[in-house]
Amino acid sequence: AQSVTQLDSQVPVFEEAPVELRCNYSSSVSVYLFWYVQYPNQGLQLLLKYLSGSTLVESINGFEAEFNKSQTSFHLRKPSVHISDTAEYFCAVSDLGNAGKSTFGDGTTLTVKP
Amino acid sequence: EAGVAQSPRYKIIEKRQSVAFWCNPISGHATLYWYQQILGQGPKLLIQFQNNGVVDDSQLPKDRFSAERLKGVDSTLKIQPAKLEDSAVYLCASSSGRAERVYEQYFGPGTRLTVT
């Protein structure tokens, strides 16, 4: 069975500071990995994904995540955050061949302060 | 392209009452998911449909929860009777069902259920 652990439930940072949201997973097979973002009173939106190829993946708004198979991690980073990045972030894992089923972590609340 | 639609957005009921949620996925998406998101937790899969067939309902409390997707398009999730612990946001998601795209889920805004 697969599982996801998001190591920090809340991360407060100041605007323009760098941030890292940590995600570790466990699975006995090869996986796909995802980060979703949830703004207040909205549904989850896919932020970025690792399916295959380069282990470093990027989003259009400056976030990046690196798949580290040996450490079973998929940490999310941004070098300089904005107030508008304040949201809840969820890491998710899918076992290959599992018909699209994903297991989600419990989320990390990122609060960007001015 | 229209997103995943859900209704109602909010619902308050008393315990032992019944409630139903509706979801209309993105046009052409074969796979539909219902998740339960309890405050402070990540979404937990309740049921997954591929067209109008059930792929996975192992986490669905079948004594009180039911779901259907009769024509392979929109779907309804029902709770009868509701318990206090059913208070949560119910999220619907869909994916295209084609190769790797099946893993890219698009979520609706959710229905916030409060059971008193």
Side-chain angles (χ1 to χ4, degrees):
Chain A
Q2 57 197 5
S3 66
V4 177
T5 301
Q6 292 186 241
L7 296 157
D8 306 292
S9 60
Q10 300 201 33
V11 174
V13 295
F14 286 105
E15 193 173 19
E16 297 183 5
V19 71
E20 178 181 78
L21 307 184
R22 298 179 292 169
C23 172
N24 286 94
Y25 70 92
S26 66
S27 175
S28 58
V29 299
S30 297
V31 297
Y32 292 154
L33 293 157
F34 306 86
W35 276 99
Y36 287 83
V37 59
Q38 187 175 32
Y39 298 104
N41 298 315
Q42 296 185 26
L44 279 72
Q45 302 173 31
L46 182 64
L47 183 63
L48 46 75
K49 61 184 184 257
Y50 169 77
L51 303 179
S52 62
S54 172
T55 57
L56 183 65
V57 292
E58 299 177 353
S59 72
I60 59 173
N61 58 351
F63 283 94
E64 64 179 30
E66 185 161 20
F67 170 49
N68 188 318
K69 187 174 181 179
S70 63
Q71 297 186 7
T72 60
S73 68
F74 192 54
H75 301 332
L76 181 69
R77 301 184 182 95
K78 189 170 186 180
S80 176
V81 294
H82 303 290
I83 298 287
S84 59
D85 293 324
T86 295
E88 190 151 21
Y89 292 79
F90 292 93
C91 181
V93 61
S94 295
D95 288 347
L96 264 64
N98 205 6
K101 177 181 174 180
S102 289
T103 299
F104 287 79
D106 284 337
T108 296
T109 301
L110 174 64
T111 303
V112 182
K113 299 178 287 185
Chain B
E1 177 182 75
V4 176
Q6 290 188 247
S7 67
R9 291 294 310 275
Y10 305 91
K11 190 74 176 178
I12 301 173
I13 62 172
E14 295 181 351
K15 58 184 179 183
R16 292 187 290 274
Q17 287 186 323
S18 62
V19 64
F21 312 127
W22 174 82
C23 172
N24 191 32
I26 291 173
S27 177
H29 278 193
T31 307
L32 185 147
Y33 313 78
W34 282 103
Y35 289 90
Q36 180 191 59
Q37 186 179 17
I38 293 173
L39 187 65
Q41 299 180 19
K44 183 186 82 172
L45 181 69
L46 293 175
I47 189 167
Q48 177 183 350
F49 292 95
Q50 178 78 14
N51 296 309
N52 60 351
V54 176
V55 174
D56 185 345
D57 64 356
S58 58
Q59 299 298 308
L60 187 73
K62 298 181 185 64
D63 58 332
R64 298 185 300 106
F65 286 64
S66 64
E68 59 183 14
R69 193 184 184 198
L70 291 176
K71 297 183 179 179
V73 181
D74 55 352
S75 175
T76 302
L77 176 70
K78 297 180 182 178
I79 308 175
Q80 182 179 10
K83 293 185 175 181
L84 295 177
E85 58 262 36
D86 298 332
S87 294
V89 176
Y90 291 84
L91 296 166
C92 179
S94 68
S95 64
S96 73
R98 279 183 265 174
E100 292 180 339
R101 299 300 296 274
V102 73
Y103 295 93
E104 298 178 26
Q105 299 183 31
Y106 295 82
F107 284 81
T111 297
R112 183 177 299 275
L113 173 68
T114 301
V115 182
T116 63

